[in-house]
């Protein structure tokens, strides 16, 4: 499978079976580059399972997924190009927020100085610069969700995957 020219994400015949449930069944579609795309459906429809497959957290039972032309079985090849915010993202309770965001920036491949700059810019975008030195355990649920969104937009990712980013805001 090769992604259609201009596809950010190409999903081809993806199925995922767990021992007692078929979570996804023969899903095929492309998402073009520079698009905003939402996946809607009722609870239990397989949205988070598909997200997890595209993010490389789960392997499909069958089918393939490419992000920016890279098979997600080689997800590390997308370092810095793909950013992921899982539904239940967690942060260390007793580490200052800014240090965690800087660390995530470094994980994407940013140099320390660039990670520091991007971390402060990301916190500013979500209105959290005033809590930069606070620990994550002191944040309200809504602030915690905004912190996750800030983390997802570090660097210059070409594709950003967000699972339920507005829940609790």
């Amino acid at each position: 499978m090769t992604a259609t020219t201009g596809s950010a994400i190409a999903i081809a015949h993806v199925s995922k079976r767990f021992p007692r449930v078929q979570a996804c069944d023969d899903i095929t579609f492309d998402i073009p580059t520079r698009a905003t795309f939402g996946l809607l459906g009722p609870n239990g429809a397989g949205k988070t399972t598909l997200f997890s497959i595209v993010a490389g957290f789960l392997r499909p039972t069958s089918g393939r997924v490419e992000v920016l032309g890279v098979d997600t079985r080689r997800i590390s090849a997308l370092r810095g190009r793909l950013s992921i915010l899982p539904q239940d993202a967690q942060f260390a309770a007793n580490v200052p927020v800014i240090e965690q965001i800087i660390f995530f920036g470094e994980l994407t491949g940013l140099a320390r100085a660039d990670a520091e700059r991007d971390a402060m810019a990301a916190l500013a975008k979500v209105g959290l610069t005033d809590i930069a030195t606070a620990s994550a355990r002191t944040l309200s649920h809504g602030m915690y969700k905004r912190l996750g969104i800030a983390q997802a937009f570090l660097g210059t990712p070409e594709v950003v995957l967000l699972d339920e980013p507005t829940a609790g805001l």
Side-chain angles (χ1 to χ4, degrees), residues 77-122:
L78 291 164
R79 179 178 178 216
R81 299 179 70 198
L82 170 65
S83 182
I84 302 162
L85 176 61
Q87 175 177 314
D88 297 316
Q90 297 290 309
F91 295 92
N94 295 317
V95 177
V97 164
I98 189 65
E99 289 305 316
Q100 294 186 65
I101 298 298
I102 291 168
F103 175 71
F104 284 120
E106 290 175 318
L107 286 177
T108 70
L110 294 174
R112 176 75 185 194
D114 293 333
E116 289 172 358
R117 184 194 67 242
D118 275 22
M120 285 307 295

Side-chain angles (χ1 to χ4, degrees), residues 45-165:
K47 300 178 302 294
T48 295
T49 299
L50 185 60
F51 173 94
S52 296
I53 291 168
V54 173
F57 300 153
L58 291 175
R59 296 279 183 243
T61 305
S62 62
R64 286 186 57 185
V65 177
E66 289 182 355
V67 175
L68 300 169
V70 176
D71 189 311
T72 57
R73 291 176 293 188
R74 297 181 30 246
I75 199 76
S76 62
L78 291 164
R79 179 178 178 216
R81 299 179 70 198
L82 170 65
S83 182
I84 302 162
L85 176 61
Q87 175 177 314
D88 297 316
Q90 297 290 309
F91 295 92
N94 295 317
V95 177
V97 164
I98 189 65
E99 289 305 316
Q100 294 186 65
I101 298 298
I102 291 168
F103 175 71
F104 284 120
E106 290 175 318
L107 286 177
T108 70
L110 294 174
R112 176 75 185 194
D114 293 333
E116 289 172 358
R117 184 194 67 242
D118 275 22
M120 285 307 295
L123 290 176
K125 285 178 188 173
V126 297
L128 293 179
T129 53
D130 57 329
I131 58 91
T133 59
S135 64
R137 70 175 156 74
T138 66
L139 303 181
S140 69
H141 180 74
M143 293 169 99
Y144 200 89
K145 292 293 280 193
R146 291 187 338 213
L147 179 60
I149 293 168
Q151 172 266 309
F153 286 97
L154 288 171
T156 54
E158 296 168 61
V159 173
V160 178
L161 299 176
L162 307 171
D163 191 6
E164 305 244 5

